[in-house]
Amino acid sequence: MQTSDITVIGGGLAGTEAAWQAAERGIRVKLYEMRPQTMTPAHTGGALAELVCSNSLGSNLINRAPGLLKEELRRLGSLLITTADAHRVPAGSALAVDREGFAAAITQRIQAHPNITLIREEVTTLMQTSRRSVSETASGPVIIASGPLTSARLANAIHELTDSDAPLLDGAPSRNSGLYFYDAIAPIVELDSINFERAFRASRYDKGEEVAGDYINCPLNAEEYRSFTTELVHAEQIALREFEKEDAHFFEGCLPVEVLARRGENALAFGPLRPVGLRDPRTGQRPYAVVQLRQDNAAGTLYNLVGFQTNLRYGEQKRVFRLIPGLEQAEFVRYGSMHRNTYINAPYLLYPTLQLRSHPEIFFAGQIAGLEGYAGNIMGGWLAGVNAARWLQGQELLILPPETMSGALIHYITHADPETFQPMKANFGLFPSMEKHVRGKRARGEARAQQALAALENVKAEIKSEG
Ligand SMILES: Cc1cc2nc3c(=O)[nH]c(=O)nc-3n(C[C@H](O)[C@H](O)[C@H](O)COP(=O)(O)OP(=O)(O)OC[C@H]3O[C@@H](n4cnc5c(N)ncnc54)[C@H](O)[C@@H]3O)c2cc1C
């Protein structure tokens, strides 16, 4: 029956999981993948679910956020995580896979599924009628899972679709309505790891709209500033790929902190590290320079380094940024990075069911929805696939509980500040505070995991009772 079709765009991590979950619920799925005819700048072949870079899906320990996320997915019957388990290679406590074996197995399972039709074609339009318009052939929900390297024509179509959503939320600036091509991301650290013997809370006096104390400030004297900038300009960078160099050129206005530092000895002290309007309460003086950190999640447990978009190697970021007074022991939940990254402004555009607010029959999943990390993208695919099927079957759509890692991540991407939104990966900072304080990082992780897995049982019961 034509009316029970779901269309999935993109046969990557999110798209294959979404297609599988819907197909397993008896829905016929058309899965569009443009490779190998049309390649992205990072994929190497035509296999579905190709891992574009690392072959590691991160920690497998359930007292760590990435490990907990994978355990939740296992319990929810994720095709990709159970296949990753089957193709595991030795990597200590991490889940790393034989990438070719993994992608070949997923391709085989998808192609063999009686409810899935794999169409090797680039989707170029969404709403208008044209030869390869999805709307022309789609009669049911559409799941967009075309990833960070979405083809240019589809990106334009998504931009048109999401831009028309701008009036939905009052007062939000129009730059928040559409699709981002972000090439530079600043690191995020855990609040608990900041040393408040050195750092202090304050806002600049000249920013009237800010509430006092909104920022965490790390003050540097002249000597500390010199030694920090010297290390920064000499730190090792990640080599850019050709397509990324083009993008970096486009985003001249959003320079990496190390590039800005090379422009002059005091470029940072007059730029993002300017101390104007700030006094160090320990000395009563204006510091020579100040690194500011801005709250990054509603719970106030994560802070990003303002103006610190960077292309340094991860190890170098840890070494150099820990030279900043107050960040000596900083725990990084996300490192800064630079690569082409196409994603929508999810807090502005999506419901926690992953439906587009203005077109509830359209779902977004994976990196384009603002999720980061392989497992996070798989989870987005799982939820979009399940919810698109439930939509067709007339069932209430699932909102994952925020006590689960999956639910906390979806909650973040759909409730973060649209002004500063950037993709997010699984981390414990996204959870609501625990009612009872548990001492010790490991014990806290265990407690989080127990709470999450108990909450997941309710989701499983809900799926089962209606299934
Ligand atoms: C250079 C680079 C390196 C990365 N390294 C890592 C890493 O080491 N670890 C990590 O966790 N994450 C990494 N990421 C992020 C990574 O891309 C995601 O974690 C994950 O692959 C995203 O899953 P996805 O399903 O959203 O997108 P993808 O896995 O990229 O899948 C999207 C699919 O959609 C297809 N597609 C695009 N446009 C169209 C169209 N118009 N029509 C039909 N099909 C289309 C693409 O060919 C692709 O197969 C990296 C990203 C990039 C760009």
Side-chain angles (χ1 to χ4, degrees):
M1 229 172 65
Q2 192 67 16
T3 48
S4 61
D5 276 354
I6 285 178
T7 301
V8 179
I9 307 174
L13 300 186
T16 50
E17 184 70 50
W20 181 267
Q21 294 303 331
E24 285 288 280
R25 285 163 173 78
I27 306 290
R28 291 197 328 195
V29 179
K30 284 183 186 156
L31 173 61
Y32 284 82
E33 170 52 58
M34 67 180 185
R35 291 180 289 116
Q37 290 91 336
T38 308
M39 293 297 290
T40 77
H43 289 82
T44 59
L48 303 178
E50 180 184 329
L51 301 175
V52 287
C53 190
S54 165
N55 68 331
S56 170
L57 283 79
S59 173
N60 224 4
L61 302 171
I62 65 160
N63 60 6
R64 302 274 173 84
L68 175 58
L69 181 60
K70 286 191 281 293
E71 182 57 23
E72 290 177 7
L73 282 164
R74 254 176 224 117
R75 295 185 185 201
L76 290 171
S78 156
L79 169 71
L80 272 79
I81 295 299
T82 48
T83 308
D85 286 337
H87 290 267
R88 188 172 183 175
V89 295
S93 58
L95 174 58
V97 299
D98 160 17
R99 73 173 75 235
E100 282 179 16
F102 169 75
I106 298 293
T107 309
Q108 194 276 330
R109 297 293 297 277
I110 293 284
Q111 281 177 331
H113 200 293
N115 287 344
I116 303 179
T117 307
L118 177 61
I119 303 165
R120 296 281 190 172
E121 229 173 67
E122 178 190 356
V123 173
T124 57
T125 63
L126 288 169
M127 303 312 281
Q128 304 98 359
T129 310
S130 87
R131 197 169 63 82
R132 274 177 277 183
S133 156
V134 160
S135 62
E136 202 180 54
T137 46
S139 49
V142 175
I143 299 173
I144 301 176
S146 46
L149 302 170
T150 293
S151 74
R153 285 183 288 191
L154 180 60
N156 280 336
I158 295 169
H159 182 61
E160 275 172 32
L161 175 73
T162 53
D163 218 28
S164 64
D165 285 358
L168 268 180
L169 293 182
D170 289 342
S174 64
R175 79 172 185 84
N176 281 314
S177 61
L179 197 66
Y180 282 170
F181 299 87
Y182 238 89
D183 69 329
I185 293 176
I188 296 179
V189 298
E190 286 179 3
L191 173 72
D192 284 354
S193 67
I194 298 172
N195 168 15
F196 281 96
E197 303 266 301
R198 291 299 307 267
F200 62 95
R201 285 184 182 271
S203 298
R204 291 185 208 283
Y205 63 76
D206 57 351
K207 289 268 169 70
E209 76 274 12
E210 289 171 4
V211 180
D214 274 357
Y215 286 80
I216 293 172
N217 301 278
C218 298
L220 295 92
N221 63 30
E223 198 185 323
E224 288 164 339
Y225 176 80
R226 298 271 169 263
S227 64
F228 167 65
T229 49
T230 305
E231 290 299 325
L232 181 61
V233 297
H234 292 111
E236 210 183 330
Q237 284 185 234
I238 294 170
L240 292 183
R241 303 181 192 198
E242 278 311 307
F243 70 96
E244 289 166 332
K245 283 182 194 160
E246 284 167 29
D247 283 355
H249 186 69
F250 275 155
F251 292 93
E252 178 70 16
C254 196
L255 284 176
V257 64
E258 64 276 10
V259 174
L260 190 56
R262 276 189 217 115
R263 292 197 166 171
E265 207 176 314
N266 277 319
L268 293 181
F270 285 103
L273 272 62
R274 66 195 181 285
V276 57
L278 292 166
R279 279 194 192 282
D280 184 343
R282 284 186 320 132
T283 62
Q285 304 291 313
R286 182 161 103 173
Y288 188 80
V290 174
V291 173
Q292 287 204 298
L293 288 89
R294 187 193 298 124
Q295 187 173 328
D296 201 81
N297 62 341
T301 51
L302 303 177
Y303 277 74
N304 67 65
L305 277 69
V306 179
F308 270 63
Q309 52 274 9
T310 178
N311 196 37
L312 298 190
R313 288 194 177 283
Y314 289 179
E316 287 288 82
Q317 290 186 38
K318 192 169 175 179
R319 179 180 73 79
V320 176
F321 298 158
R322 280 185 166 186
L323 296 174
I324 298 168
L327 300 188
E328 302 87 353
Q329 300 295 327
E331 289 289 343
F332 291 81
V333 301
R334 187 186 70 192
Y335 286 103
S337 67
M338 284 186 64
H339 61 70
R340 175 145 82 86
N341 197 0
T342 307
Y343 62 95
I344 59 166
N345 195 330
Y348 191 58
L349 296 168
L350 297 185
Y351 289 124
T353 50
L354 296 182
Q355 291 166 288
L356 196 58
R357 288 166 187 267
S358 62
H359 298 81
E361 73 287 5
I362 296 183
F363 295 74
F364 278 84
Q367 188 107 6
I368 197 161
L371 293 160
E372 193 156 286
Y374 292 150
N377 289 307
I378 293 168
M379 183 274 293
W382 183 92
L383 183 62
V386 169
N387 271 344
R390 291 172 77 91
W391 164 274
L392 273 179
Q393 291 168 337
Q395 294 170 342
E396 203 178 318
L397 270 56
L398 283 184
I399 296 181
L400 296 170
E403 297 80 20
T404 60
M405 193 65 258
S406 315
L409 198 47
I410 296 290
H411 183 86
Y412 177 85
I413 66 157
T414 53
H415 292 81
D417 180 359
E419 263 294 323
T420 53
F421 177 66
Q422 291 179 351
M424 181 54 76
K425 66 178 182 181
N427 67 80
F428 282 151
L430 301 178
F431 279 120
S433 314
M434 297 184 84
E435 274 173 24
K436 235 173 73 189
H437 183 70
V438 180
R439 281 174 71 88
K441 203 170 171 177
R442 200 177 160 157
R444 262 200 309 279
E446 301 281 355
R448 291 269 186 226
Q450 294 318 320
Q451 211 175 44
L453 295 175
L456 196 75
E457 288 305 310
N458 299 334
V459 178
K460 286 172 66 183
E462 196 178 339
I463 300 172
K464 212 169 168 189
S465 68
E466 292 174 6

